[in-house]
Amino acid sequence: MYLSVQLSYYPLTDDYKPPIKTLIERLEKSGLEVHSNRMSTQVFGEYDSVMTVFSDTLRWSFETYGKAVFTANFIEGDRRPRD
């Protein structure tokens, strides 16, 4: 099953930009398709791969940067942007 996700990440720190940039880089290296903009990051891939990457990424974020808020919208299917 293919999954499309819109993810927003809010590190609870004054210097929030470096954790966001690092998290996006981590997602981009995961093998999933990733599109970022100023408001959120869209992630696309097979369900099991997406969920495994998200689980690992959330744990990594909490262990590395401490408290943060993640918001995610999940939709089954391919909602990748078309050029």
Side-chain angles (χ1 to χ4, degrees):
M1 168 188 335
Y2 203 82
L3 193 61
S4 301
V5 184
Q6 179 180 342
L7 178 69
S8 295
Y9 172 51
Y10 305 99
L12 299 179
T13 179
D14 290 335
D15 192 18
Y16 59 88
K17 287 183 182 180
I20 292 171
K21 289 178 182 179
T22 304
L23 182 124
I24 292 169
E25 290 169 359
R26 185 178 176 89
L27 290 173
E28 290 172 341
K29 292 177 184 175
S30 72
L32 300 174
E33 186 170 342
V34 178
H35 299 269
S36 296
N37 61 47
R38 296 181 69 88
M39 298 297 294
S40 65
T41 300
Q42 291 79 43
V43 180
F44 306 93
E46 290 298 323
Y47 179 91
D48 289 336
S49 297
V50 170
M51 298 309 286
T52 297
V53 167
F54 277 19
S55 177
D56 293 344
T57 300
L58 268 64
R59 176 183 293 276
W60 166 85
S61 168
F62 295 139
E63 290 175 349
T64 304
Y65 296 110
K67 291 185 173 67
V69 174
F70 287 86
T71 61
N73 298 304
F74 296 86
I75 186 166
E76 187 275 327
D78 185 352
R79 301 289 184 220
R80 289 179 287 180
R82 305 287 183 229
D83 292 334

